[in-house]
Amino acid sequence: MTGGAVAGPDGRLRCPWGLSTEDYVRYHDEEWGRPVHGDDALFERLCLEAFQSGLSWITILRRREGFRRAFDDFGIAAVAKYTEADKERLLADEGIIRNRAKIEATLANARVLAGRPAGELDALIWSYAPDPASRPAPRTVADVPAVTDESTALAKALKKQGLRFIGPTTAYALMQACGLVDDHLADCMARGAAPGGRAT
């Protein structure tokens, strides 16, 4: 079936994109689609998805450790205190994507979230997870949407909170990456994997 799961070197079936590079194999098998909880962990994913806008995800994935070093592991409280000097430091950091608008949005979003009760971001994002029973397992890549009603509503809710650089497509990528939906193909070895992910 065109666009269906593909056997890797180990003979196990995976989503086609998950075999394109070694970095993707690890990310596909161990992270993508597994539930992520915790305000800081979800803030990191929100930021990285925003930085990915207009770029390939592999570009972000290969710089993720650089991003974590540059942004204090995406601790909301820490990033919210960044100064103009920090912004200039980030703009000069070759370990990240030096996009002024995205860096400024990250700092602004941290300031918004730092004023919210602990757990509120986690609860807000996860409130938009659809009922798994309402979503048939995709058989091919063509069956995987780029935007859904839930991601559109989530983007709207995040913007209402004052967050920037988040639209329906970015929101859906977040939902996929953080396990709100399971978009591994029906025959993929990672579909229905046990909960995991990076939480704080």
Side-chain angles (χ1 to χ4, degrees), residues 57-121:
W57 178 246
I58 195 66
T59 300
I60 303 302
L61 191 60
R62 287 175 174 165
R63 288 173 170 80
R64 184 163 60 171
E65 291 309 314
F67 273 107
R68 287 174 173 172
R69 285 191 298 272
F71 286 97
D72 286 296
D73 270 336
F74 290 96
I76 293 170
V79 178
K81 295 176 182 175
Y82 280 11
T83 64
E84 190 68 20
D86 287 302
K87 184 172 75 173
E88 294 307 314
R89 168 181 60 81
L90 293 166
L91 287 167
D93 192 332
E94 296 182 356
I96 66 172
I97 302 300
R98 295 175 292 174
N99 179 292
R100 182 178 293 273
K102 294 175 182 180
I103 288 171
E104 290 177 345
T106 299
L107 273 53
N109 290 346
R111 293 181 191 116
V112 169
L113 294 172
R116 306 293 186 186
E120 185 176 279
L121 179 63

Side-chain angles (χ1 to χ4, degrees), residues 85-189:
D86 287 302
K87 184 172 75 173
E88 294 307 314
R89 168 181 60 81
L90 293 166
L91 287 167
D93 192 332
E94 296 182 356
I96 66 172
I97 302 300
R98 295 175 292 174
N99 179 292
R100 182 178 293 273
K102 294 175 182 180
I103 288 171
E104 290 177 345
T106 299
L107 273 53
N109 290 346
R111 293 181 191 116
V112 169
L113 294 172
R116 306 293 186 186
E120 185 176 279
L121 179 63
D122 187 306
L124 173 64
I125 289 174
W126 276 91
S127 71
Y128 288 90
D131 177 1
S134 70
R135 294 173 52 87
R139 305 295 305 183
T140 72
V141 173
D143 296 330
V144 180
V147 174
T148 63
D149 290 344
E150 292 87 358
S151 76
T152 301
L154 173 57
K156 183 177 180 179
L158 291 170
K159 286 181 178 179
K160 188 175 180 180
Q161 293 292 316
L163 301 188
R164 293 157 48 183
F165 237 101
I166 179 81
T169 302
T170 299
Y172 194 64
L174 175 80
M175 294 172 73
Q176 292 174 304
C178 296
L180 280 75
V181 296
D182 184 353
D183 274 348
H184 286 286
L185 301 185
D187 295 329
C188 175
M189 51 78 73

